[in-house]
């Protein structure tokens, strides 16, 4: 019974993520529209804003690429619902594929076969974080293929320093150009190992637009990069303009003395995300 | 930048007037085509087989739509944003030459081969805002027909759509050698060193 309720709520979580853009992203696109001086850029941002409104009004996915089902979970180790959660997520994705609906987006890399239910080896993608307590927080982050294709990893020689890191990030944005559907949110992970740098980069895009890293030095780096990225002239959809990125988010970890890993990825304007909490008494809230 | 409301069939002299950055709104008939659709149509042409519709009278849309069945013979378009056009670069010059499609709509721009064919035969490429799938779906008034659905599957099939004021589309490749996407890329590349030097 309780599992049924969790599955139902997860379907609603997915529907919310697919159809309603978080207000921080919406506001950032609106601000960009007000500030833009390029006529072409304005038409693109206007089309995006109208599209967002229509998706919300009709509860339809805002982009035809409904993404790879991806979840970030902060799991309280004492939650009674932890054990069934992986199964519930798989069931919810299958059902949401029919009900929302979602585009069938999982393909076997060897045979090319698409099971048409968004499930497969390794999918849904789940990032686990174990925490104390008995609450579970689930974040749905369906991300499209076009922006995911613009992901980069560099194992820089530590000698290049922070300046070298910044250069690499800017080069990634220039290389991506209009391909990840800008205005983008640039996610950056610095430090850890190769895997951690990429994971931190993805975690970075979970942070609301306009919210800075708690570390003052990292926060300054974010703002400096954002300023220069918006002077590239790439603009919305790569058709020119002042809004290439809505924000730059950097997360970091300590590194090995011999390595300076940097992971960079782009989140498209349809920066979809929704959050849900499962309380120990079985109550569920979608935010 | 001029705004044009075009009705299909779009004539060659109409597209020859267009310039990059012009905005288009299309009313009339559109067909969807991705990699497999291009391949299929070109193969049919090569074998001398007649296509079930006329691509020269319609606008081509690089799109793999999300469509559901409303009733046994009625379809509903849920979402229909553009797909990345550059994948079709290997087919498009040949396609334009064979079928004389005048307006091609997609995302991200196309390459040199397509641009040359557009100049020679009279066609333009117009970019639709990536991901704006609901906006696109709302401009689609009716699904008129679908070809090769069983053979190619939903995204690759040729969907014949009746559209009204489909746009805004930005002309990014015109018949005069203009390519807006390439222009923006060249511009940022030429200023790359300056931009990198701005970093502290």
């Amino acid at each position: 019974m309780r599992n049924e309720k969790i599955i139902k709520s997860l379907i609603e979580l997915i529907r919310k993520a697919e159809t309603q853009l978080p207000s921080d992203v919406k506001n950032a696109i609106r601000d960009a529209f007000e500030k833009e001086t390029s006529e072409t850029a304005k038409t693109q941002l206007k089309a995006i804003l109208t599209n967002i409104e229509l998706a919300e009004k009709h509860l339809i996915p805002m982009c035809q690429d409904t993404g790879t089902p991806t979840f970030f979970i902060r799991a309280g180790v004492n939650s009674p619902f932890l054990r069934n959660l992986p199964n519930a997520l798989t069931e919810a994705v299958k059902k949401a594929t029919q009900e929302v609906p979602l585009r069938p987006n999982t393909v076997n890399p060897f045979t090319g076969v698409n099971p048409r239910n968004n499930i497969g080896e390794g999918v849904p993608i789940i990032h686990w974080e174990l925490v104390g307590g008995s609450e579970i927080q689930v974040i749905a982050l369906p991300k499209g293929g076009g922006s995911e294709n613009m992901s980069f990893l560099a194992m820089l020689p530590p000698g290049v320093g922070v300046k070298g890191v910044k250069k690499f990030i800017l080069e990634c944005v220039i290389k991506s150009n209009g391909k990840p559907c800008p205005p983008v949110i640039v996610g950056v992970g610095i430090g850890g190992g190769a895997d951690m740098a990429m994971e931190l980069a993805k975690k970075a895009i979970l942070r609301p637009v306009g919210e800075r890293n708690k570390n003052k030095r990292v926060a300054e780096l974010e703002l400096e990069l954002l300023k220069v990225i918006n002077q590239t002239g790439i603009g919305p959809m790569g058709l020119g303009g002042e809004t290439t990125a809505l924000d730059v988010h950097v997360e970091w970890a300590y590194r090995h003395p011999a390595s300076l890993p940097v992971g960079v990825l782009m989140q498209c304007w349809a920066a979809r995300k929704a959050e849900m909490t499962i309380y120990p008494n079985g109550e569920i809230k979608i935010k | 930048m001029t705004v044009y409301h075009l009705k299909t069939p779009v004539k060659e002299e109409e597209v020859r007037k267009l310039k990059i950055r012009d905005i288009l709104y299309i009313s009339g008939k559109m067909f969807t085509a991705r990699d497999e659709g291009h391949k299929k149509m070109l193969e049919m042409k090569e074998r001398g087989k007649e296509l079930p519709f006329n691509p020269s009278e319609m606008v081509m849309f690089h799109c793999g739509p999300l469509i559901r069945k409303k009733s046994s013979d009625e379809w509903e378009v849920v979402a229909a944003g553009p797909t990345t056009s550059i994948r079709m670069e290997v087919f498009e010059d040949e396609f334009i030459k064979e079928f004389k499609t005048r307006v091609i709509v997609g995302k991200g721009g196309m390459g040199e081969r397509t641009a040359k064919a557009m100049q020679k035969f009279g066609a333009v490429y117009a970019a639709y805002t990536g991901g704006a799938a609901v906006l696109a779906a709302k401009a689609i008034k009716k699904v008129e027909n679908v070809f090769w659905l069983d053979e190619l599957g939903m995204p690759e099939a040729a969907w014949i759509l009746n559209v009204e004021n489909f746009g805004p589309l930005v002309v990014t490749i015109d018949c005069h050698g203009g390519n807006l996407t390439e222009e923006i890329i060249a511009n940022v590349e030429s200023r790359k060193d300056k931009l990198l030097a701005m970093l502290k």
Side-chain angles (χ1 to χ4, degrees):
Chain A
M1 187 61 210
R2 276 187 164 169
N3 213 32
E4 282 304 304
K5 187 181 168 189
I6 291 177
I7 292 171
K8 260 195 170 158
S9 303
L10 286 169
I11 296 170
E12 284 321 303
L13 180 77
I14 295 167
R15 191 195 307 278
K16 189 179 176 202
E18 294 285 357
T19 59
Q20 296 171 56
L21 207 54
S23 54
D24 56 288
V25 183
K26 250 189 307 190
N27 291 338
I29 299 173
R30 257 187 226 124
D31 287 351
F33 174 74
E34 295 300 327
K35 277 186 222 148
E36 265 294 348
T37 51
S38 149
E39 280 304 313
T40 310
K42 265 190 175 311
T43 61
Q44 297 306 299
L45 294 170
K46 185 82 211 301
I48 288 169
L49 287 168
T50 313
N51 185 74
I52 294 167
E53 275 168 33
L54 286 170
E56 257 179 31
K57 192 173 142 200
H58 300 281
L59 279 181
I60 297 171
M62 65 188 80
C63 176
Q64 79 284 351
D65 183 353
T66 48
T68 301
T70 307
F71 299 91
F72 280 80
I73 300 176
R74 277 169 64 87
V77 288
N78 294 321
S79 168
F81 307 110
L82 203 47
R83 199 167 40 151
N84 290 328
L85 196 55
N87 281 337
L89 282 166
T90 301
E91 268 316 295
V93 168
K94 264 194 217 168
K95 286 189 172 150
T97 302
Q98 295 298 321
E99 289 177 25
V100 174
L102 307 176
R103 194 171 77 177
N105 265 354
T106 42
V107 178
N108 182 313
F110 305 107
T111 63
V113 169
N114 184 332
R116 314 204 61 75
N117 58 6
N118 277 307
I119 297 298
E121 182 76 27
V123 184
I125 298 170
I126 307 175
H127 298 265
W128 292 98
E129 187 185 341
L130 291 175
V131 293
S134 45
E135 284 177 11
I136 301 176
Q137 184 198 39
V138 183
I139 300 175
L141 184 87
K143 189 169 180 289
S147 71
E148 190 70 0
N149 284 343
M150 295 299 113
S151 301
F152 309 87
L153 172 74
M155 302 302 284
L156 296 175
V160 301
V162 180
K163 192 170 181 178
V165 172
K166 288 191 273 192
K167 278 190 168 177
F168 174 66
I169 299 164
L170 182 60
E171 277 166 357
C172 290
V173 174
I174 292 175
K175 207 187 272 176
S176 301
N177 223 281
K179 289 196 274 290
C181 287
V184 292
I185 298 169
V186 184
V188 181
I190 302 171
D195 54 345
M196 196 175 194
M198 283 320 297
E199 186 162 354
L200 286 172
K202 192 149 267 182
K203 264 194 182 156
I205 61 173
L206 296 176
R207 204 199 306 157
V209 172
E211 196 179 301
R212 297 270 66 83
N213 190 297
K214 284 190 196 82
N215 181 301
K216 200 174 156 243
R217 198 168 165 191
V218 181
E220 278 168 10
L221 189 145
E222 291 175 342
L223 288 174
E224 184 193 352
L225 277 164
L226 180 63
K227 204 173 154 195
V228 180
I229 286 168
N230 282 335
Q231 288 181 51
T232 56
I234 293 167
M237 293 301 141
L239 299 176
E242 289 142 56
T243 325
T244 303
L246 299 172
D247 211 341
V248 179
H249 290 161
V250 180
E251 298 297 336
W252 63 286
Y254 274 51
R255 62 173 178 84
H256 184 276
S259 343
L260 178 49
V262 186
V264 179
L265 55 83
M266 310 290 155
Q267 172 68 303
C268 60
W269 64 259
R272 291 154 284 182
K273 178 182 70 182
E275 201 179 307
M276 159 179 140
T277 308
I278 309 171
Y279 296 94
N281 63 1
E283 199 193 325
I284 297 173
K285 266 190 194 148
I286 297 177
K287 199 172 91 175
Chain B
M1 188 189 98
T2 314
V3 179
Y4 292 91
H5 292 262
L6 299 179
K7 280 200 171 65
T8 65
V10 181
K11 293 183 203 81
E12 184 180 350
E13 56 267 33
E14 281 181 282
V15 296
R16 290 227 178 250
K17 278 195 296 201
L18 302 173
K19 292 192 185 74
I20 55 168
R21 291 192 176 85
D22 283 344
I23 304 287
L24 311 181
Y25 289 89
I26 307 278
S27 295
K29 281 189 186 181
M30 236 172 174
F31 69 100
T32 64
R34 291 171 48 127
D35 315 55
E36 296 297 326
H38 277 80
K39 217 163 128 187
K40 171 98 193 164
M41 286 183 260
L42 286 170
E43 272 170 17
M44 283 177 80
K45 182 86 184 179
E46 206 184 303
R47 289 202 208 115
K49 283 189 184 164
E50 189 106 354
L51 292 192
F53 61 94
N54 188 350
S56 71
E57 291 183 347
M58 301 183 195
V59 165
M60 183 202 281
F61 187 19
H62 293 155
C63 168
L66 179 56
I67 292 184
R68 65 180 159 202
K69 233 176 183 155
K70 232 164 134 183
S71 60
S72 63
D73 59 350
E74 214 182 334
W75 298 92
E76 183 194 15
V77 180
V78 180
T83 193
T84 303
S85 298
I86 197 72
R87 290 201 317 272
M88 273 58 83
E89 180 70 8
V90 286
F91 306 110
E92 216 67 287
D93 56 344
E94 190 67 20
F95 197 95
I96 293 166
K97 185 180 155 209
E98 293 295 345
F99 296 109
K100 308 286 186 301
T101 298
R102 301 293 172 199
V103 181
I104 297 176
V105 175
K107 180 179 89 172
M110 297 195 75
E112 196 52 43
R113 274 169 60 183
T114 302
K116 277 202 175 127
M118 287 184 156
Q119 241 179 311
K120 190 168 173 196
F121 299 105
V124 295
Y125 175 87
Y128 190 71
T129 312
V134 191
L135 186 63
K138 292 294 164 201
I140 298 169
K141 296 302 158 192
K142 201 177 170 230
V143 177
E144 291 213 338
N145 215 334
V146 58
F147 299 101
W148 314 310
L149 179 60
D150 291 334
E151 188 187 338
L152 304 179
M154 188 199 288
E156 302 283 345
W159 295 89
I160 312 296
L161 310 169
N162 205 315
V163 300
E164 209 177 289
N165 276 323
F166 187 95
L169 307 165
V170 182
V171 176
T172 67
I173 300 175
D174 61 21
C175 305
H176 317 285
N179 189 331
L180 180 59
T181 313
E182 294 298 320
E183 205 178 276
I184 302 288
I185 292 173
N187 177 284
V188 59
E189 285 296 335
S190 72
R191 292 186 304 121
K192 194 171 160 182
D193 289 339
K194 220 176 119 192
L195 288 161
L196 287 169
M198 286 165 80
L199 295 166
K200 278 182 266 172

